Structures are given as structure tokens and as C-alpha cells.
Amino acid sequence: MGSKNRITIKEVAQRAGVSIATVSRVLNNPESVTDEKRERVRGVIEQLHFNPDPAARALSNRSFKTIAVMVPNIINPVFSLIVRGIIHSLDKNNFDVLLYDTEEDFGREQQVVSGLVQKMVDGLIAVAGTGKEISFTELSKRIPVVLIDRPDNVSPVDKLSVDDREGMHTLVAHMAERGYTRIALVNGTKGNISANSRARYFQQALEEQGLPCSPEQIVYSGWTLAYGKIGLNELLSRNLNVNGIICATDIIAMGVMHAAAELGISIPGDMGVAGFDNSPLGEYVSPTLTTLQYSSIEIGKESVRAILRRFEEPGASLLKQTYSLPLIARQSTQGPASSGSVSPPGGTQEAQDPWKETDS
Amino acid sequence: MGSKNRITIKEVAQRAGVSIATVSRVLNNPESVTDEKRERVRGVIEQLHFNPDPAARALSNRSFKTIAVMVPNIINPVFSLIVRGIIHSLDKNNFDVLLYDTEEDFGREQQVVSGLVQKMVDGLIAVAGTGKEISFTELSKRIPVVLIDRPDNVSPVDKLSVDDREGMHTLVAHMAERGYTRIALVNGTKGNISANSRARYFQQALEEQGLPCSPEQIVYSGWTLAYGKIGLNELLSRNLNVNGIICATDIIAMGVMHAAAELGISIPGDMGVAGFDNSPLGEYVSPTLTTLQYSSIEIGKESVRAILRRFEEPGASLLKQTYSLPLIARQSTQGPASSGSVSPPGGTQEAQDPWKETDS
DNA sequence: GTGAAAGCGCTAACAT
DNA sequence: ATGTTAGCGCTTTCAC
């Protein structure tokens, strides 16, 4: 493994007729060396294809220029977008990304976090997860940790998260306005903290809208496409005569819509459906999916800012930021068949080419 | 950056009343130490929360236990599935993954590859790309390199790729059988090697089926959803009276289908549409998408096998493996309106929960 | 401005 | 079985 007859700073020094210190200087502090020697050394570096050994460098520097990123499921577009945002802006700062995909497994999650202390990383960005809490307290004593959409009441670390409360209120109000008044929630995994949070605010929103509200209106299933179907079936089996479904994520919503189509349920005519996190495919399914604008890429970038800030001011006060979620009204909530379709209101926002958001 | 008052092997040694060599041994070769001392040392390690410094380790070992993975677009499910496969099986071998998302940019691609020599990685897995060639020859002298779906005639490295020829033949034959005889190809970016390859075999397949075949039947656009629409418009503007469209990827196909729906073109009635690489959402769009089974996760895992093999036998002969692509017939090619719908043939394969393929 | 030399924390060969 | 010691390749004082 690794490599063979390496060229070292020492060889470069000899060939250039200078000391290794000088070579190191032209590498890290070029101004502090005479023009002549600098060029001479650079020449040798070039011709020998010399590359400083990163491990040796790290050993001296105590820095790896690498950030670990942990996601529950790299296949979910929402997370891959966040990862893209992170990689994009980390790259500009010459950091690389060590990616951990925990496959929504709590064991893996714990394993990754506890293993991190002996990995060559300068920081960790942990995105969502299984919903069971992990303490980042210990790890955060060694390296900066930033949490994205990861409910956590114990770790003293920077946190970014969507405002579930506002989001649920927006969605419920929108559906009510469009004439869907018997609304259910198809949620993620039971026990997941995000799922709990969405459930709580869902109920709260129903109450504030004066809509019927019972625990039966919430179905817990899971976070993937296939669980959308399972969730819908469970919901239908409860005979609640629901006419609107809010889903905890767009992916779940797509699963629900697909299953509904198979059952001959017309959307939005028989049933309104809404997602939560603006997956790129939401505009490409039929009917197009009403959802909330979750700016994955931006959040990824913001998390990078947070972590870089902490490198500079390790003692800065703890960040606790929430994102609001503007409504993206599309066809899937256009109104029940009887009420006729309504044209979308203003303020709706859509990405242009969601599969290649390479802005800024 | 990094960390503060680190605990070193030296401290552990002192507290345990042994030499640093012994501590190192209990870390790497526990059997070679007396039970008593071993436990004593372990106790101290535990209580001091000691973690061996990975950089120092790497410097001695010349191994980082890290593999770089370069993809053109982490948001595309096909690539994120490959990445998942790679991470999954690399993890079992205690390797981490350094992820590079080049955002389909050739400059980034070059930059990543040339920068890799001074990164803490033991190998590279490069997945597809912009289609412009990069030589991996130099890099492969230092670390093993494995290419996935990356046409390359110059680098002496291990290669895995789909069989475009077979794939195109399968698709064209299928469409012809279903009654779509005026077939066009909506391809990826002009100049991309994969696109060229698919185009060549598309023509070849048309000829073998005795179907009309002119260069106009091929439209080059791009690899994302939005380009599907662009490609369709371009194709329609050519007035070729096409009734079947093969797309170079499923993502493009979904873009095409979406655009077709907007234009009032009925699929599969007016037009048959097929994709190429079995994106997880293919079953969830409407109509469901006919495609080829591209086993992303498996290919990812296979690439890991290849790279591990090369660690063991650096001199092993060059791998050049191609994957066949079984047909997945779905609704989007069910036959033109006039011919009535045909039930899907046997041998069709579908994943159960494509968003969470955590097998083996 | 430049060189000599002392680490950085660990592994492994060598000696006991 | 265990300790001593010499690196691994680079950065960084500290003199000159």
C-alpha cells in the first residue's frame, strides 16, 4: 500500500544545493527565500515530480485539511444535495471530504462518531440521522462539530436546522385554504426525533386551523419511497375519510402518490398530497408535488461557514440557527375535484435545473 | 486546528510502567504481550481516553486506509448508488472514502486527479465523468486506480464498464418488438465518450434491426433532467415523425417524459420512451420507465474488490470487465396506442426498495 | 536569508 | 516478552 521509492524534501534539497529548511520554506513561505534559490528549488521540485508527504505534513501541522461528513442515506437527493453544497464550498477552502453513509443505521452512526477521534479529520458535519441521540460532547472537545437537522439537546455544538413548526403550519394552512380539511400525516420512522417534531407541530397546526385532530391521523412508517406505500395503506385502513396527506419528506410523498395511483385514487382530485423538503424530482412527477423549499445546497454551504468559523474562533458562542421553509405550491394540492382547480399563488419558487445546482 | 494537549503513547507507557514499544504492541499485536501487562496498558488507555495519532501512524505505516472516489455528479442516483456500494464494502475492510464531486466539470476532474498524489489516499476509484480523457498513468504508478464506466484507452489500470453495445441492442430490439420502429436517441453531452459510444451502438442496432437510420435521429443534449426537455424539443423540431425515444440515461428519460406530458404527447401511446441505467425512481414516475438493469451497488462493490486485489497483488494482470444490462420492461414502452397494450414479458427484474438497498 | 537540529507520535528492527 | 533506538518526512525554532 501507499507507495515505493518516494522522493523526499531531502533529495530536493541536495539536488538544489540548499538545506531542507529552505525547501520547506519555498513550499510554505516562498517570500522568505531569495528569488534565485526559490526558482532553483522549484525547478528541482518540478523535474523530480516531488510531492510533499501529506502524512508527515499532518504530523507536524496537526491539520489534515479534511472534514468528515456523515449522512443517513446518500441516495436521498436531499442529502446528496447537502453533500454537494458541503463539498463545493469546502473545496474552495482546500478541504477534502471524508464521507460516511450510515445507511440509516444507528449502530453505524455510533461507530462512525466514536471512531472519528482516531481519524485524520479536522471536523465533522453530521446530517440528520436515525433520530436516536448521540452525544457529540466528547468528540467536540477535539474537533469542531456542526449538526444539520439533527435534534440534539445535549451536545454543545453548532446547529443548523429547518423550522419544523413553521413548515407544518405553512403546509396545513395551504391545504386548508385549498379545501383539504381532513388532513393526515405520513411520517418517518417511529421514534425518530425529526419525526416526533414534525408530528407535534402537525397537531399544533391542525388545532390552530381549527381542523379535526386525533392521533390516528398520524402514521409512522419510514423514510424511503417504499414506505410511502406502506404508510398510505396503513392510513387507508384506518378509515378516517382523509382528503389530504402531508408527508414528512418528498420521497415519502412520491411513494404515497405512486401507491395512490395504483389504487385509483386521483390526486389532487380525490386527495391532496404535499411533501416537505423540495426534492429535485418533485417537479418531474405527475402531478407535480407541492412541498416546502428546503435549500439543501445552501444549508450545506452554511454548515461549512460554521465549521470554518470555529477553526478561527474556537471559543465563539454556540450557533443555533433555524431555516424557514417557503411554500412551493404545485399541482398535487390544486384542490379537490368538486372545488375546481386554483391557479398557484405568487411567491412560489422552483429551481431551474435541480440536478445540477452548481451556483456560486 | 487539530487538537490541544494530546495524550501520547509515551504518557500511556509511563503510567502503565512499560515502554512505548509495549504500548504499541498491545495496540497492534496484542498476543505478543503478557496478559498482565496487556490488561494494565489497556486500563490506562481506557482511563486516559488515549487514541493513537493517525498521522503518526500513517507516517510510519505508509498507509492511510482511505480511498478516493471521484464522481461527476453525486446527485444523480446512479452515482450515489455506486458510492453507497463502494462505501459499504470499503467500510468492511476498514477503509474510509474521500469523496470528490466534480460537478461534471473537466477542470475539476483534472485538478482532483493531479492533486491526488499529495493526498492521504491509498487508491482511487473514478466513476464516469465528462467524457474527456484524463491519463491516470502517472497516478497509477503511486496508487491503484480503478475506472468505472470511464472509457479510457491510455491508462494501464483496472476497468469496469457497462456493455453499451449489448444495451443498445437490447433496447432497440425491445422497442421494435413493441411496435416502435422510428426510433431516436436523446443522448448526453456532445463529445462525451460514453455518449459517443452509445450513439455508435445505437446506429449499429438500428441497422441490424433493419430500421431507418440517419444521423438526425441522434440528439446530443446533456445528462440532467432539464436536458431531457431540451433534447426532446430539439428532436421534435427536426420533424422526423419519431415514435420511440431511447435516452442515454434514465434521468434524461424522465426529463423527456415530463416535457412530453407538457406537450400533450401521450406515453406510451404516441411515443415509447426508454432509459438506460435503472434509476430508482424509474418505477415511481408515470408511466413507469422501461430501462436496463444497471446494478450500481454491485458495480461499486466490484470496484472495491478490484482495488483490494491490487493491494495484495500489485502486479496482477489488468482487469477489463464489462457488465451486461438485462432489460427492465415497464409501461413507457407498452406499445403504440393502435397496437393495444402488451403485458410485460418474463425475466423482468425490479428492486424492492431502491432507496435503501443495503443488501449483503 | 539560511542552515542545523529538535521535535511531531508512532512502528519496527534490534538487542537483551 | 520487553526495552532501546532509529527512523518515517516535514515544520519550525534558534543561531549565525
Side-chain angles (χ1 to χ4, degrees):
Chain A
M1 222 167 298
S3 29
K4 17 237 152 188
N5 47 6
R6 305 189 57 78
I7 298 156
T8 72
I9 204 179
K10 200 171 163 187
E11 276 188 53
V12 175
Q14 288 177 341
R15 300 241 195 171
V18 298
S19 76
I20 61 169
T22 300
V23 177
S24 176
R25 283 188 192 103
V26 345
L27 253 30
N28 308 301
N29 238 33
E31 317 78 38
S32 70
V33 175
T34 332
D35 288 21
E36 188 225 324
K37 299 207 174 183
R38 187 176 344 117
E39 290 319 311
R40 187 138 45 95
V41 171
R42 283 190 169 149
V44 178
I45 288 179
E46 192 83 355
Q47 116 188 39
L48 254 47
H49 294 297
F50 165 74
N51 291 103
D53 182 316
R57 221 165 197 179
L59 183 56
S60 280
N61 280 343
R62 318 264 73 232
S63 152
F64 309 103
K65 302 298 277 181
T66 300
I67 302 291
V69 174
M70 180 172 82
V71 297
N73 183 353
I74 189 61
I75 301 165
N76 187 319
V78 172
F79 298 130
S80 47
L81 279 166
I82 293 179
V83 169
R84 160 161 291 185
I86 292 174
I87 293 185
H88 190 91
S89 52
L90 233 26
D91 178 63
K92 289 190 182 155
N93 294 280
N94 289 311
F95 278 84
D96 291 326
V97 167
L98 210 46
L99 182 68
Y100 294 95
D101 175 9
T102 61
E103 300 182 7
E104 315 217 13
D105 178 64
F106 183 57
R108 285 278 302 125
E109 232 174 40
Q110 295 178 106
Q111 207 176 312
V112 169
V113 173
S114 65
L116 236 34
V117 287
Q118 33 184 316
K119 299 246 152 119
M120 299 185 274
V121 295
D122 302 306
L124 166 67
I125 298 174
V127 186
T130 56
K132 296 185 196 131
E133 289 215 36
I134 285 186
S135 167
F136 293 91
T137 311
E138 267 312 308
L139 183 61
S140 69
K141 289 177 185 162
R142 304 222 136 271
I143 57 176
V145 174
V146 175
L147 268 30
I148 297 180
D149 286 343
R150 214 175 196 298
D152 180 311
N153 296 307
V154 300
S155 318
V157 301
D158 295 326
K159 292 165 193 162
L160 311 178
S161 39
V162 300
D163 188 337
D164 285 336
R165 203 192 71 79
E166 185 197 299
M168 272 303 166
H169 281 250
T170 303
L171 242 26
V172 167
H174 167 74
M175 294 197 92
E177 181 202 320
R178 289 295 171 87
Y180 303 104
T181 50
R182 299 182 305 281
I183 312 175
L185 172 67
V186 174
N187 210 341
T189 320
K190 179 111 195 170
N192 179 297
I193 299 184
S194 288
N196 290 346
S197 161
R198 309 247 227 260
R200 184 167 67 251
Y201 294 121
F202 170 70
Q203 288 188 290
Q204 194 180 96
L206 287 180
E207 282 164 17
E208 291 191 13
Q209 291 287 329
L211 296 174
C213 170
S214 80
E216 280 195 304
Q217 284 162 250
I218 300 177
V219 173
Y220 289 88
S221 84
W223 302 104
T224 62
L225 276 168
Y227 279 112
K229 178 174 190 166
I230 296 171
L232 178 64
N233 288 337
E234 168 62 22
L235 180 64
L236 294 177
S237 77
R238 294 185 186 172
N239 290 313
L240 298 171
N241 190 27
V242 153
N243 69 348
I245 300 179
I246 291 175
C247 301
T249 71
D250 281 24
I251 293 299
I252 296 175
M254 290 182 214
V256 165
M257 291 208 296
H258 184 251
E262 284 180 339
L263 296 171
I265 299 171
S266 154
I267 293 169
D270 301 337
M271 183 96 78
V273 173
F276 207 91
D277 50 7
N278 193 24
S279 179
L281 264 134
E283 305 185 67
Y284 285 82
V285 292
S286 179
T288 55
L289 180 65
T290 290
T291 187
L292 297 176
Q293 175 163 35
Y294 181 88
S295 313
S296 312
I297 293 200
E298 275 316 317
I299 292 184
K301 291 181 178 173
E302 186 64 33
S303 70
V304 170
R305 260 171 246 135
I307 213 156
L308 294 179
R309 187 189 62 135
R310 207 151 279 288
F311 286 146
E312 277 150 25
E313 319 172 50
S317 64
L318 253 35
L319 185 68
K320 171 133 188 170
Q321 196 169 329
T322 62
Y323 287 88
S324 62
L325 299 163
L327 179 68
I328 299 180
R330 297 206 190 97
Q331 295 166 352
S332 66
T333 54
Q334 223 152 45
S338 52
S339 79
S341 71
V342 180
S343 64
T348 293
Q349 307 175 39
E350 309 204 10
Q352 297 190 313
D353 179 357
W355 290 85
K356 170 132 194 183
E357 301 187 40
T358 50
D359 52 306
S360 83
Chain B
M1 219 167 298
S3 28
K4 17 236 153 191
N5 47 7
R6 306 189 55 79
I7 298 155
T8 72
I9 204 177
K10 201 171 162 188
E11 276 187 53
V12 175
Q14 288 176 341
R15 302 240 194 171
V18 299
S19 75
I20 61 167
T22 300
V23 178
S24 177
R25 281 186 194 107
V26 344
L27 252 30
N28 308 301
N29 237 34
E31 317 77 40
S32 69
V33 176
T34 333
D35 287 23
E36 188 225 324
K37 300 209 173 186
R38 186 175 345 114
E39 289 321 310
R40 186 139 45 94
V41 170
R42 283 190 169 149
V44 178
I45 287 181
E46 192 82 354
Q47 114 188 43
L48 256 47
H49 295 298
F50 165 74
N51 291 104
D53 182 315
R57 223 167 195 175
L59 183 56
S60 276
N61 280 342
R62 319 263 74 230
S63 151
F64 309 102
K65 302 298 277 182
T66 300
I67 302 292
V69 174
M70 180 172 81
V71 297
N73 183 354
I74 188 60
I75 301 165
N76 186 320
V78 172
F79 298 130
S80 47
L81 279 166
I82 293 179
V83 168
R84 160 160 291 186
I86 292 174
I87 292 184
H88 191 92
S89 52
L90 233 27
D91 178 63
K92 290 191 182 152
N93 294 279
N94 289 312
F95 277 84
D96 291 325
V97 166
L98 211 46
L99 182 67
Y100 294 95
D101 175 11
T102 61
E103 300 182 6
E104 315 217 14
D105 178 65
F106 184 56
R108 286 277 302 125
E109 232 173 41
Q110 294 178 106
Q111 206 176 313
V112 169
V113 173
S114 65
L116 236 34
V117 288
Q118 35 184 315
K119 300 244 152 122
M120 298 185 273
V121 295
D122 302 307
L124 166 67
I125 298 175
V127 186
T130 56
K132 296 185 196 131
E133 289 217 35
I134 285 187
S135 167
F136 292 90
T137 311
E138 266 312 306
L139 182 61
S140 70
K141 288 177 185 162
R142 301 221 139 272
I143 58 176
V145 173
V146 174
L147 268 30
I148 297 179
D149 286 343
R150 217 176 194 296
D152 180 312
N153 296 307
V154 300
S155 318
V157 301
D158 294 326
K159 292 166 194 162
L160 310 177
S161 40
V162 300
D163 188 336
D164 285 336
R165 203 192 72 78
E166 184 196 299
M168 273 301 165
H169 280 250
T170 303
L171 242 26
V172 167
H174 168 74
M175 294 196 94
E177 181 202 320
R178 288 296 171 86
Y180 304 104
T181 50
R182 299 181 304 281
I183 312 175
L185 173 66
V186 174
N187 211 342
T189 320
K190 178 110 195 170
N192 180 298
I193 300 185
S194 287
N196 290 346
S197 161
R198 310 247 227 259
R200 183 166 69 252
Y201 293 122
F202 171 70
Q203 287 188 291
Q204 194 180 96
L206 287 180
E207 281 164 17
E208 293 192 11
Q209 291 286 330
L211 296 175
C213 171
S214 80
E216 280 195 304
Q217 285 163 251
I218 300 176
V219 173
Y220 290 88
S221 81
W223 301 104
T224 62
L225 276 169
Y227 280 111
K229 178 175 190 165
I230 296 171
L232 178 63
N233 289 336
E234 167 63 23
L235 180 63
L236 294 177
S237 76
R238 293 185 188 173
N239 290 314
L240 297 171
N241 190 26
V242 154
N243 69 348
I245 301 179
I246 292 175
C247 302
T249 72
D250 282 24
I251 293 298
I252 296 175
M254 290 182 214
V256 165
M257 291 207 296
H258 184 249
E262 284 181 338
L263 296 171
I265 299 171
S266 152
I267 293 167
D270 301 336
M271 184 96 79
V273 174
F276 207 91
D277 51 7
N278 194 23
S279 178
L281 265 135
E283 297 188 72
Y284 284 82
V285 292
S286 178
T288 56
L289 180 65
T290 290
T291 186
L292 297 176
Q293 175 162 35
Y294 180 89
S295 313
S296 311
I297 293 201
E298 275 317 317
I299 292 182
K301 291 180 177 173
E302 186 66 33
S303 70
V304 170
R305 259 171 247 134
I307 212 156
L308 294 180
R309 187 188 63 138
R310 204 150 283 285
F311 286 146
E312 278 150 23
E313 319 172 48
S317 62
L318 253 34
L319 185 67
K320 171 133 188 169
Q321 196 169 328
T322 63
Y323 287 88
S324 62
L325 300 162
L327 179 68
I328 299 179
R330 298 208 189 97
Q331 295 165 352
S332 66
T333 53
Q334 221 152 45
S338 53
S339 79
S341 72
V342 181
S343 63
T348 294
Q349 305 175 41
E350 310 201 10
Q352 298 190 311
D353 179 355
W355 291 84
K356 171 132 192 181
E357 300 189 42
T358 50
D359 52 305
S360 82

